[in-house]
């Protein structure tokens, strides 16, 4: 008996240039069009886009990009590089280990969005397209050409024959290797990349330094955007740019390098963060920086409870308030009922300890609950804390917290003669009050990161993960679920209380409305939970990035007025739709979200 076999399907790569994409243009013409469009976009940024400097950013200068032109220039360079990489240009393969075609689409769309947003904004604010100079028309045509060219590239490869589960492992492996398209598709879906040529250690460290430098530059630029149009363009460029390099596999490749040198990465990250205040000419943006660090540190503490132990805590911001109120009462404030002025190290330890005690008191009777019931109880605790400090005004209860007036006039910190409220000159740079507190909060963040990392790698950390995955199975294996969860709750509360001690001195005043479940200004419990989920549960860098975005975006979208929350919510919905595992997910969650994903539909014609 003979078995009829068919030749294995080969991937519809675009190397032959014969396959059509979404718009029916041959792939080789689309690639050429995308490359030409990217190059034309770069040229356009050195031309004037409008004749008047009434539009912010002064886009009237020839030969020197400014304002939104800089963002379009970056997008044009990325688009051109990816277009050249899709040709197989030597030296660019390391940047696109998962393929350049899909990444090219995202880069071209992002550049198109920023450019056309600018052109439309100029026409709208200045009174018509007559206010455009030749550069404005050139960038519109160039970015449109790049988008059309990228859409001409095939979207995916044909699905290979399914693997027979009865085959031996060798036969299954041979079947998988019949087509490189399947390997690349799996790489893109799971965030992994094909193996790269091994680099020497010094080269990998240089890659880490370059990645951190890019991160610091992007963060500094995003905070320092001086007008609304520039921030919107920054969001478009940064969002699509990150998506493009992630789709190309570069993010996964760099992540593998950083995971290999974890200590170098952590030290380098904090050195880069410490350099941030020295990049600022005044204290305006350092103010945003210190609040982002407070928000991020508390989110990282919540990540222990939610990300590692899997406990849904909706009242976590109350522990931040416990630490803040404790520090305010013992730091010499004239509004405090206690005539005590402890040094900072003592007030910080006391705030963390009191928050930990509250965590144990609240957790002991409630942690036997699971899921939604636990979430409701913790939400109630957050409201009980806020109402309690509101009623301790001497009328409705004992005079301890001054009720709605809070504890005010909290003095600036003075540690070993270093006054955090005064300006200081370091290496020729002048840093002011908020920059001083930024550096202090950075040290607190370092402590929290070390605690999180050591805890997650320990035996108790593995027990948390086991409880999160299946509490019944974990208890059957001998893990004391209640004790393990209580430790997570207490440790998370202590870290939040530690951050609260710094927040009290930064804000000068602590009041009950700062610690609501959904306050207008973060941190609050809703935003903290969103930062953990958005950034990536169970990771270190995820909540830090998520908290930075969730604090920065609402602060910069105030020009939208009543539509601010709508735009913010829409952005979150879209992000979680296309990146449900978070911006920087851990390996387990990434596989959980993609292991059962349906194969994408082939949009290119199979015989074109």
């Amino acid at each position: 008996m003979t078995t009829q076999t068919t030749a294995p399907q080969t991937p519809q790569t675009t190397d032959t240039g014969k396959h059509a994409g979404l718009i029916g243009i041959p792939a080789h013409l689309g690639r050429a069009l995308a490359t030409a469009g990217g190059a034309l976009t770069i040229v356009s940024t050195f031309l004037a886009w409008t004749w008047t400097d009434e539009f912010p950013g002064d886009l009237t200068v020839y030969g020197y990009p400014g304002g939104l032109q800089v963002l379009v220039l970056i997008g044009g360079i990325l688009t051109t590089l990816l277009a050249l990489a899709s040709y197989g240009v030597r030296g660019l393969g390391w940047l696109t280990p998962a393929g350049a075609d899909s990444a090219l689409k995202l880069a071209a769309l992002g550049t198109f969005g920023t450019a056309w947003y600018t052109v439309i904004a100029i026409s709208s604010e200045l009174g018509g397209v007559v206010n455009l100079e030749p550069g404005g028309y050139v960038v519109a045509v160039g970015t449109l050409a790049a988008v059309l060219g990228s859409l001409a590239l095939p979207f995916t490869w044909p699905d290979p024959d399914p693997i027979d589960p009865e085959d031996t492992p060798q036969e299954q492996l041979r079947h998988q290797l019949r087509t490189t398209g399947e390997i690349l598709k799996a790489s893109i879906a799971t965030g992994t990349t094909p193996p790269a040529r091994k680099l020497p250690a010094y080269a990998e460290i240089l890659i880490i330094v370059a990645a951190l430098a890019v991160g610091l530059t992007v963060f500094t630029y995003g905070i320092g955007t001086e007008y609304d149009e520039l921030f919107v363009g920054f969001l478009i460029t940064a969002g699509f740019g990150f998506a493009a390099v992630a789709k190309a596999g570069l993010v996964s490749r760099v992540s593998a390098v950083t995971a290999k040198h974890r200590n170098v990465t952590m030290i380098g990250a904090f050195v880069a963060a410490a350099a941030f205040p020295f990049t600022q000419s005044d204290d305006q943006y350092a103010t945003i920086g210190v609040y982002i660090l407070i928000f991020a540190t508390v989110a990282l503490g919540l990540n222990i409870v939610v990300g590692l132990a899997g406990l849904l805590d909706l009242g976590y911001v109350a522990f931040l308030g416990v630490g803040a109120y404790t520090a305010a009462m013992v730091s010499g404030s004239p509004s405090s009922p206690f005539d005590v002025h402890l040094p900072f190290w003592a007030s910080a330890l006391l705030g963390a300890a009191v928050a930990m005690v509250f965590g144990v008191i609240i957790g002991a009777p409630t942690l036997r609950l699971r899921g939604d019931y636990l979430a409701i109880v913790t939400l109630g605790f957050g409201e009980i804390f806020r109402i309690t400090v509101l009623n301790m005004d001497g009328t409705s209860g004992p005079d301890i917290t001054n009720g709605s007036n809070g504890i005010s006039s909290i003095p600036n910190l003075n540690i070993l003669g270093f006054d955090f409220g005064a300006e200081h000159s370091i290496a020729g740079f002048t840093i002011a009050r908020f920059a001083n507190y930024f550096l202090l909060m950075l040290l607190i963040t370092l402590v929290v990161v070390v605690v999180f990392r050591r805890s997650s790698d320990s035996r108790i950390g593995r027990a948390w993960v086991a409880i999160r995955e299946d509490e019944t199975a974990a208890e059957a294996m001998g893990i004391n679920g209640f004790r393990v969860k209580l430790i997570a709750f207490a440790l998370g509360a202590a870290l939040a209380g530690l951050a609260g001690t710094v927040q009290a001195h930064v804000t000068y005043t602590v009041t009950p409305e700062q610690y609501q479940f959904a306050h207008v200004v973060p941190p609050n419990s809703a935003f903290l939970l969103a930062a953990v989920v958005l950034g990536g549960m169970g990771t270190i860098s995820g909540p830090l990035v998520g908290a930075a975005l969730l604090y920065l975006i609402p602060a910069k979208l105030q020009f939208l007025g009543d539509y601010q929350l709508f735009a913010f919510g829409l952005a979150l919905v879209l992000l979680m739709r296309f990146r449900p595992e978070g911006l920087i997910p851990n390996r387990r969650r990434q596989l959980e979200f993609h292991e059962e994903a349906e194969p994408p539909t082939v949009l290119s014609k199979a015989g074109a």
Side-chain angles (χ1 to χ4, degrees):
M1 178 178 179
T2 60
T3 302
Q4 183 180 1
T5 60
T6 58
Q9 291 177 305
T10 56
Q12 285 192 9
T13 61
T14 58
D15 295 338
T16 61
K18 296 181 180 179
H19 302 298
L22 183 64
I23 60 177
I25 300 177
H28 66 285
L29 294 180
R31 184 174 289 103
L33 186 61
T35 306
L40 190 61
T41 300
I42 295 174
V43 172
S44 70
T45 60
F46 293 89
L47 304 175
W49 289 8
T50 182
W51 61 272
T52 175
D53 59 0
E54 292 183 8
F55 188 82
D58 193 8
L59 309 183
T60 65
V61 181
Y62 281 86
Y64 187 81
L68 285 160
Q69 288 176 324
V70 176
L71 297 175
V72 176
L73 174 61
I74 295 172
I77 293 174
L78 181 61
T79 300
T80 305
L81 287 176
L82 291 173
L84 294 175
S86 68
Y87 276 109
V89 175
R90 188 171 183 177
L92 296 179
W94 200 92
L95 300 177
T96 56
D101 288 355
S102 297
L104 176 58
K105 296 177 180 65
L106 292 171
L109 283 172
T111 309
F112 173 83
T114 305
W116 279 71
Y117 165 75
T118 306
V119 170
I120 293 173
I122 292 174
S123 303
S124 176
E125 295 182 18
L126 300 183
V129 295
V130 295
N131 294 283
L132 294 175
E133 286 289 288
Y137 296 102
V138 172
V139 74
V141 173
T143 54
L144 180 59
V147 168
L148 293 177
S150 67
L151 294 179
L153 303 180
F155 274 63
T156 187
W157 301 268
D159 298 323
D161 296 332
I163 297 176
D164 189 347
E166 300 297 328
D167 289 344
T168 65
Q170 291 79 8
E171 292 173 337
Q172 293 182 7
L173 179 60
R174 191 180 304 114
H175 183 90
Q176 289 177 337
L177 294 178
R178 287 176 184 171
T179 169
T180 57
E182 180 64 12
I183 297 174
L184 290 176
K185 185 174 70 175
S187 300
I188 295 171
T190 61
T192 60
T193 59
R197 180 172 59 88
K198 186 176 181 180
L199 298 175
Y202 74 88
E204 293 179 337
I205 293 176
L206 288 178
I207 291 174
I208 294 174
V209 172
L212 293 175
V214 171
L216 176 62
T217 303
V218 171
F219 179 74
T220 303
Y221 190 93
I223 285 186
T225 48
E226 298 176 351
Y227 48 93
D228 303 333
E229 293 86 351
L230 185 61
F231 182 72
V232 173
F234 167 77
L235 285 182
I236 297 173
T237 302
F240 278 92
F242 177 81
V245 295
K247 182 66 72 173
L250 183 59
V251 172
S252 297
R253 179 153 288 177
V254 173
S255 298
V257 174
T258 57
K260 185 177 178 181
H261 304 277
R262 295 178 62 184
N263 293 330
V264 173
T265 302
M266 188 172 70
I267 294 173
F270 280 92
V271 170
F276 168 73
F278 300 98
T279 64
Q280 307 301 309
S281 57
D282 55 42
D283 224 22
Q284 176 183 0
Y285 300 122
T287 305
I288 300 177
V290 68
Y291 284 117
I292 287 177
L293 274 184
I294 293 174
F295 187 17
T297 303
V298 180
L300 193 58
L302 178 61
N303 199 25
I304 293 179
V305 180
V306 176
L308 294 182
L311 306 175
L312 185 56
D313 188 350
L314 298 182
Y316 187 76
V317 74
F319 298 121
L320 176 70
V322 170
Y325 267 97
T326 301
M329 291 178 184
V330 298
S331 296
S333 169
S335 302
S336 172
F338 309 108
D339 188 17
V340 179
H341 191 175
L342 298 179
F344 172 70
W345 65 268
S347 63
L349 292 177
L350 184 61
V354 173
M356 178 183 289
V357 170
F358 271 85
V360 173
I361 293 176
I362 299 302
T366 61
L367 286 179
R368 299 188 185 278
L369 301 174
R370 299 185 185 182
D372 298 340
Y373 300 100
L374 177 62
I376 293 173
V377 171
T378 54
L379 177 62
F381 162 66
E383 287 301 298
I384 290 173
F385 168 77
R386 184 182 63 84
I387 294 174
T388 300
V389 295
L390 184 64
N391 289 334
M392 289 183 176
D393 56 356
T395 302
S396 302
D399 187 10
I400 298 178
T401 63
N402 292 329
S404 59
N405 294 324
I407 300 179
S408 59
S409 302
I410 301 173
N412 283 305
L413 290 176
N414 191 306
I415 301 177
L416 300 177
F418 187 90
D419 187 358
F420 281 76
E423 292 186 351
H424 298 275
S425 295
I426 301 177
F429 295 91
T430 300
I431 57 174
R433 178 179 184 271
F434 284 103
N436 296 329
Y437 279 106
F438 179 91
L439 295 176
L440 174 63
M441 196 61 223
L442 189 62
L443 292 177
I444 301 294
T445 305
L446 177 60
V447 172
V448 175
V449 166
V450 171
V451 171
F452 182 93
R453 178 179 170 183
R454 304 296 290 182
S455 299
S456 61
D457 292 339
S458 66
R459 181 178 179 181
I460 190 70
R462 293 192 294 272
W464 287 335
V465 174
I467 290 291
R468 182 192 68 194
E469 297 300 323
D470 192 327
E471 184 173 350
T472 303
E475 291 179 346
M477 297 300 294
I479 296 176
N480 188 329
F482 175 76
R483 182 176 65 86
V484 168
K485 292 191 292 184
L486 187 61
I487 292 174
F489 215 72
L491 181 59
L495 296 180
L498 182 63
T501 61
V502 180
Q503 185 204 30
H505 292 87
V506 171
T507 58
Y508 285 127
T509 302
V510 290
T511 55
E513 63 267 15
Q514 295 176 349
Y515 308 106
Q516 299 179 21
F517 170 74
H519 192 245
V520 177
V521 179
N524 56 61
S525 292
F527 271 61
L528 287 170
L529 184 60
V532 174
V533 177
L534 172 67
M537 295 173 59
T539 64
I540 294 177
S541 55
L544 300 179
V545 173
L549 288 176
L550 289 182
Y551 190 94
L552 184 61
I553 292 177
K556 293 289 187 175
L557 290 182
Q558 294 180 0
F559 68 94
L560 293 178
D562 295 338
Y563 296 97
Q564 176 185 355
L565 290 179
F566 171 77
F568 181 62
L570 180 62
L572 289 182
V573 170
L574 292 176
L575 187 58
M576 297 312 298
R577 165 60 182 83
F578 295 104
R579 191 79 174 178
E581 69 270 26
L583 291 175
I584 309 178
N586 64 9
R587 183 75 177 137
R588 179 188 296 272
R589 285 186 59 81
Q590 196 167 33
L591 291 175
E592 286 175 356
F593 277 98
H594 291 289
E595 63 180 356
E596 298 179 357
E598 292 293 332
T601 303
V602 179
L603 299 182
S604 58
K605 297 179 180 179

